[in-house]
Amino acid sequence: MTKKWWHDKVAYQIYPKSFCDSNGDGIGDLPGIISKLDYLKDLGVDIIWLSPCYPSPLADQGYDISDYYNIDPRFGTMEDMERLIAEAKKRGMYILMDLVVNHCSDEHEWFKKACEDPDGKYGNFFYLRDKKEGKLPTNWRSYFGGPVWDDLPGTDKQYLHVFHKKQPDLNWENPEVREEVYKNINWWLEKGLGGFRIDAIINIKKALPLHSYEPDREDGLCSVKAMLKEAKGIGEFLGEMRDRTFKKYDAFSVGEVFDEKPEEVPDFIGDNGYFSSMFDFNETIFGQSEKGWYDAKPITPDDYRKCCFEAQKKVGDIGFLSNIIENHDEPRGVSRYIPEGDVSDQSKKMLAVLNFMLRGLPFIYQGQELGMENVPFASIDEIDDISTLDEYQVALDAGLSPEEALRIVNKYSRDNARTPMQWSDEANAGFTTGTPWLKVNPNYKTINAASQLQDPDSVRSFYKALIALRKSPEYKETVVYGALAPLWEEQHNLMAYSRKADRTLYVIGNYQNEEQSVILSSPCKKVLLNNYPDLQMEENAIRLHGYQVLILEM
Ligand code: TEU
Ligand code: CA
């Protein structure tokens, strides 16, 4: 594997709407982000991924873009964006934007022109089909519920949207669409961006001709995934995109890739892969059900370990995964991966180490470094997210009571991760002086950045130490490139592995409240990180406290 500039970095995802509001309108913005660059630099962050901040009707919170060459006035101005890139650069940091090109907004001028003249140039920017009474072109169910087809306003046609109806799919088969995408990427890279996170990209290749599949729910529709399984040839688009854009700039690109087959890993992230990296979603998709969130199976510590190791094995040293505990589409990782009732600073630190020390590029989602938790939503009226509103209805339709459906929402809602960043114990967690667009998690008085910055034992201080270890001259090579091998896999509720390069490190986490022991095969030279003040070790036997985690040099 060829070494790349970004391999030894640490990345951080910002959800701009909820990060920091500089002008009191209740919406986070770019000047707010600029004011927090020193906070991120202090933590040890090098790469910052911004979820979309382009002009957007915000039907899907910015993942519906109406102008790819601008900044939404709610988030700031183009000058703010240029200043952000420059200020980041001054601090040795890189900015990534979100590339959302499976679809645009129905308020984008391409779509408006397609409505005006569906048989003209812009009609071919989308998937349009003649409207037939009582029959949809295909029976696919959109990711956000309901059929993927809606009427093209003012015409006798329908258009395809695999996400929300305000997110019409772009027709990647049309070379003119691809040219527009490459032109836009290069325009931003010229501005000095470090690269892109690439949204929902596996959806760009449709199986042609479009047709229906076996229904998988009583609504008579089928998951878009049935079609994606059959779609071949996405590589031609992705390879072309790489060659025409990222490659020329040595830019970083991380793909939101799902369901890749083991034999496709080299194509995606090998030495000349389509992307620099792709996210490991093996843990987040665990237990998913075609029926919906209400039917999902919770993940246990042993499942979590298995998912991480599977992904590591699949990729090996072919390329570099991007490892996450959570993102803006997922509940908070500490609430999901730590058994209920066991969530504590100790267990949060354990989860941090187990994920962070995996081979790959660690991505921290805003607030994760503080151990931010899921939000107790008291009613569905407190929810903004379209996906959650759909899943709530799906649960009700399946016969769950409103109370049960709300419990599911509390567990899986994307809004768990989207509440304002908790900066301090002041009003609205110090996020805004106005009224926040989404409710603040009531636990902000105890979980916030200001208090954790002063506390050497806080979750944030622990993250900072973990990041410093990845960057230390002595251990960098091993933490970044070391081969990973699982340890003591037969032990229940224990996740442990070695990382080997010029040095050998052991990462050991006791994933339960009860103590348990491990026997080292050789003596340990040094304890590099420990989430407890003490270590119970006799000869080569270590008795681990509940949720104790250790990084040892062997
Ligand atoms: O998500 C794509 C994705 O595949 C979805 O399955 C997502 O995991 C699901 O909506 C969760 O409920 C990306 C973005 O990350 C997401 O925020 C957007 O809503 C979506 O694309 C459409 O752009
Ligand atoms: Ca604002």
Side-chain angles (χ1 to χ4, degrees):
M1 201 186 76
T2 318
K3 292 196 172 176
K4 295 283 169 57
W5 64 263
W6 46 269
H7 280 157
D8 60 359
K9 303 288 184 268
V10 171
Y12 189 95
Q13 180 189 355
I14 288 182
Y15 196 67
K17 201 172 181 186
S18 302
F19 191 60
C20 179
D21 174 21
S22 71
N23 61 354
D25 64 358
I27 295 176
D29 45 50
L30 299 181
I33 296 174
I34 295 170
S35 74
K36 297 297 183 187
L37 284 177
D38 288 328
Y39 167 89
L40 296 174
K41 183 71 196 170
D42 170 74
L43 183 61
V45 169
D46 311 287
I47 296 177
I48 300 171
W49 153 30
L50 303 183
S51 276
C53 45
Y54 313 87
S56 164
L58 304 187
D60 186 19
Q61 295 305 352
Y63 284 91
D64 46 323
I65 298 171
S66 55
D67 178 359
Y68 289 94
Y69 293 90
N70 253 309
I71 298 297
D72 192 290
R74 284 167 284 200
F75 296 131
T77 62
M78 190 56 81
E79 288 67 47
D80 292 331
M81 189 66 207
E82 284 161 358
R83 202 153 51 87
L84 173 59
I85 295 171
E87 288 295 323
K89 198 167 175 198
K90 257 192 224 164
R91 293 165 175 81
M93 296 157 106
Y94 304 82
I95 301 290
L96 310 180
M97 285 182 81
D98 216 307
L99 185 72
V100 188
V101 288
N102 171 66
H103 45 269
C104 59
S105 162
D106 66 343
E107 297 182 31
H108 193 286
E109 63 162 358
W110 297 334
F111 193 76
K112 291 184 190 159
K113 287 183 181 160
C115 297
E116 281 160 24
D117 180 12
D119 298 315
K121 169 176 158 119
Y122 290 99
N124 196 28
F125 268 46
F126 300 94
Y127 288 95
L128 306 184
R129 293 292 181 268
D130 290 333
K131 184 175 174 170
K132 294 199 184 98
E133 251 349 288
K135 194 171 172 0
L136 295 171
T138 69
N139 69 339
W140 314 345
R141 182 187 312 104
S142 118
Y143 289 108
F144 296 144
V148 295
W149 297 96
D150 258 282
D151 293 351
L152 188 70
T155 72
D156 53 4
K157 296 196 187 290
Q158 295 190 306
Y159 69 95
L160 173 78
H161 59 88
V162 301
F163 291 95
H164 192 258
K165 65 169 189 269
K166 285 185 72 64
Q167 295 169 301
D169 280 52
L170 288 164
N171 175 12
W172 273 70
E173 303 292 336
N174 178 354
E176 288 180 300
V177 167
R178 304 204 298 274
E179 287 306 319
E180 288 289 351
V181 171
Y182 308 153
K183 191 175 95 189
N184 181 252
I185 297 174
N186 291 330
W187 187 86
W188 281 107
L189 292 176
E190 283 295 328
K191 275 200 181 290
L193 271 196
F196 285 93
R197 174 265 187 182
I198 299 154
D199 184 69
I201 196 69
I202 51 157
N203 295 283
I204 62 171
K205 184 76 195 184
K206 275 67 172 170
L208 297 170
L210 309 184
H211 62 92
S212 293
Y213 298 82
E214 196 60 37
D216 55 26
R217 288 187 200 166
E218 303 214 326
D219 58 7
L221 304 177
C222 73
S223 161
V224 171
K225 287 182 189 160
M227 176 279 292
L228 291 178
K229 229 182 241 157
E230 200 183 286
K232 295 279 166 321
I234 194 173
E236 283 160 41
F237 296 156
L238 298 181
E240 183 182 83
M241 175 159 73
R242 169 201 59 210
D243 294 341
R244 296 283 307 281
T245 62
F246 312 128
K247 202 167 178 175
K248 298 190 288 180
Y249 294 83
D250 196 20
F252 174 77
S253 58
V254 53
E256 193 195 17
V257 179
F258 289 97
D259 299 327
E260 74 289 346
K261 297 184 194 76
E263 62 272 21
E264 292 173 330
V265 172
D267 301 338
F268 276 95
I269 55 167
D271 262 345
N272 188 34
Y274 311 136
F275 304 123
S276 312
S277 181
M278 62 186 178
F279 289 109
D280 169 22
F281 290 120
N282 216 29
E283 301 82 57
T284 59
I285 62 172
F286 179 89
Q288 258 181 10
S289 159
E290 273 313 332
K291 291 185 187 163
W293 289 353
Y294 76 89
D295 190 49
K297 184 174 137 202
I299 187 164
T300 66
D302 288 348
D303 296 327
Y304 185 79
R305 166 176 73 179
K306 188 160 164 273
C307 287
C308 292
F309 289 165
E310 258 173 24
Q312 290 283 317
K313 194 165 167 210
K314 186 162 155 187
V315 170
D317 62 0
I318 295 170
F320 237 58
L321 281 172
S322 284
N323 296 312
I324 57 162
I325 286 180
E326 64 208 33
N327 65 25
H328 66 293
D329 289 334
E330 303 296 334
R332 289 290 179 176
V334 293
S335 303
R336 179 187 214 166
Y337 300 122
I338 299 168
E340 229 177 311
D342 286 359
V343 178
S344 66
D345 278 8
Q346 244 45 307
S347 57
K348 288 174 182 181
K349 292 173 185 174
M350 179 210 67
L351 185 65
V353 171
L354 293 180
N355 188 271
F356 199 90
M357 290 296 289
L358 293 170
R359 192 170 180 282
L361 179 65
F363 270 74
I364 298 169
Y365 178 71
Q366 66 183 44
Q368 179 188 322
E369 77 279 20
L370 306 175
M372 277 179 66
E373 300 171 5
N374 277 357
V375 186
F377 293 107
S379 141
I380 191 68
D381 301 333
E382 290 181 351
I383 297 287
D384 165 87
D385 169 40
I386 43 176
S387 174
T388 309
L389 298 176
D390 169 54
E391 293 284 353
Y392 180 74
Q393 193 55 47
V394 168
L396 291 179
D397 293 347
L400 272 73
S401 70
E403 295 71 37
E404 288 166 334
L406 189 65
R407 196 178 51 79
I408 297 300
V409 162
N410 271 299
K411 241 178 148 165
Y412 294 109
S413 175
R414 307 200 294 182
D415 278 352
N416 279 306
R418 297 178 179 187
T419 57
M421 175 75 175
Q422 292 163 210
W423 292 109
S424 71
D425 63 4
E426 287 161 37
N428 301 316
F431 160 72
T432 180
T433 54
T435 308
W437 74 277
L438 190 66
K439 90 172 208 181
V440 175
N441 193 322
N443 68 12
Y444 73 92
K445 296 257 178 206
T446 47
I447 300 179
N448 64 69
S451 70
Q452 294 201 16
L453 279 164
Q454 288 164 16
D455 174 4
D457 282 331
S458 68
V459 175
R460 188 188 183 280
S461 298
F462 194 78
Y463 262 95
K464 190 171 165 178
L466 193 50
I467 294 172
L469 176 67
R470 182 178 172 90
K471 297 190 167 185
S472 69
E474 307 94 290
Y475 299 104
K476 188 171 163 165
E477 182 68 21
T478 312
V479 176
V480 174
Y481 293 107
L484 181 144
L487 295 168
W488 301 293
E489 270 188 293
E490 67 293 345
Q491 269 180 249
H492 172 57
N493 286 352
L494 180 91
M495 178 162 161
Y497 51 90
S498 60
R499 299 291 314 278
K500 263 186 206 164
D502 55 338
R503 297 170 190 253
T504 299
L505 304 181
Y506 272 21
V507 178
I508 310 170
N510 179 19
Y511 214 138
Q512 62 180 11
N513 242 329
E514 299 71 39
E515 295 198 339
Q516 76 174 305
S517 299
V518 292
I519 315 281
L520 303 176
S521 51
S522 61
C524 126
K525 275 193 212 146
K526 202 170 165 190
V527 180
L528 302 182
L529 209 63
N530 179 358
N531 63 342
Y532 273 81
D534 69 314
L535 178 59
Q536 313 179 89
M537 181 152 65
E538 251 176 70
E539 305 273 327
N540 287 349
I542 301 178
R543 182 116 196 110
L544 297 155
H545 296 293
Y547 291 102
Q548 185 165 26
V549 72
L550 301 168
I551 304 178
L552 307 177
E553 182 177 2
M554 305 304 290

